[in-house]
Amino acid sequence: MHLAKAQMSNREDRAKLLDVLGYLPLAIRQASAYMAKKQITTTRYLEYCRSSDKYMVDLLSGDFEESHRYKKAQNPIATMWRISFHAWTLDAEDAIEALKTYAFITEREASEKYDFHRLVRLAMLNWLDKQGGHEEQTDKVVRRVERAFPAPQHDNRGERMAHLPHTQHVLERQTTAQDEKMSLLFKEGFSFYLLG
């Protein structure tokens, strides 16, 4: 996708947009296709992305490819994520490598733990909303994270720190698993207390 110089004139906003898109090649391609088709600047697109997570997912879910070859493909981030999950049953290592290659997940140093890219999380939530399984999956995740999060003690600081980013995202979600959510809130709060 080629954008006119006027569309990319603000260098600072270009850099900020790349940061918001997490430098994901598929997200950048989708964004540039949208900007080219709508004839808007990187500054305007950045404003759209910052307006809300839902609007950002909508922007990245549109079909703005110029090539008719990809006319049926929608939401390249979610599509790649689903393809990787279908491959997962065949060979988990290959699926993980594909997700890492596209920077959808990053492996933490010296562990078999992974962090999801923010845009992937948004795409997954959007996909779950459309499939109708969002509440059920949210409840499962809340229960799983609550079981995995260790009871706060002075000697398990590292393990608790590894779970904190995930608990924060999980606790933002509406869930019917209220007992588990309250337990997780307590564990998180007490962990922060112990951290000072």
Side-chain angles (χ1 to χ4, degrees):
M1 260 345 112
H2 298 291
L3 300 176
K5 284 186 180 181
Q7 288 177 277
M8 302 185 305
S9 60
N10 189 323
R11 175 179 265 167
E12 186 179 327
D13 283 347
R14 266 194 338 242
K16 288 178 183 176
L17 180 59
L18 288 172
D19 192 49
V20 166
L21 296 175
Y23 299 91
L24 286 175
L26 292 174
I28 294 167
R29 179 157 177 86
Q30 189 74 0
S32 60
Y34 181 91
M35 290 183 284
K37 183 170 184 174
K38 300 293 185 175
Q39 291 297 300
I40 63 169
T41 64
T42 53
T43 302
R44 173 65 82 197
Y45 193 88
L46 180 61
E47 289 170 3
Y48 290 162
C49 289
R50 287 180 169 167
S51 66
S52 76
D53 285 347
K54 180 169 179 6
Y55 194 64
M56 187 169 178
V57 169
D58 289 345
L59 283 172
L60 294 171
S61 297
D63 181 17
F64 294 102
E65 290 287 345
E66 288 183 86
S67 171
H68 295 291
R69 211 166 30 142
Y70 302 109
K71 194 157 179 91
K72 292 184 180 180
Q74 291 184 337
N75 195 342
I77 295 169
T79 301
M80 181 58 200
W81 180 255
R82 281 187 301 232
I83 289 169
S84 297
F85 261 111
H86 289 299
W88 198 286
T89 57
L90 300 175
D91 188 353
E93 292 298 318
D94 288 343
I96 289 171
E97 283 306 310
L99 294 171
K100 286 167 48 176
T101 298
Y102 284 96
F104 288 172
I105 63 172
T106 53
E107 187 171 8
R108 292 185 182 179
E109 226 175 279
S111 74
E112 290 187 356
K113 294 180 182 172
Y114 301 92
D115 291 312
F116 295 92
H117 191 281
R118 178 179 174 271
L119 294 179
V120 172
R121 194 171 55 251
L122 291 175
M124 286 175 18
L125 291 171
N126 184 56
W127 181 77
L128 282 173
D129 279 340
K130 290 180 179 179
Q131 299 299 313
H134 188 252
E135 286 181 26
E136 180 183 337
Q137 293 302 320
T138 299
D139 289 348
K140 286 180 181 179
V141 169
V142 168
R143 288 183 180 106
R144 174 69 181 110
V145 171
E146 193 281 328
R147 280 193 308 271
F149 197 98
Q153 298 172 358
H154 289 286
D155 62 345
N156 63 2
R157 180 180 187 268
E159 190 178 354
R160 285 184 288 113
M161 292 296 292
H163 286 82
L164 281 176
H166 303 292
T167 63
Q168 292 171 332
H169 292 293
V170 167
L171 291 171
E172 293 172 359
R173 305 283 163 220
Q174 295 296 322
T175 180
T176 58
Q178 290 301 315
D179 291 342
E180 290 87 350
K181 187 172 184 177
M182 292 305 290
S183 173
L184 191 54
L185 267 170
F186 172 78
K187 289 178 181 180
E188 182 186 55
F190 197 62
S191 292
F192 281 124
Y193 172 77
L194 291 175
L195 291 171

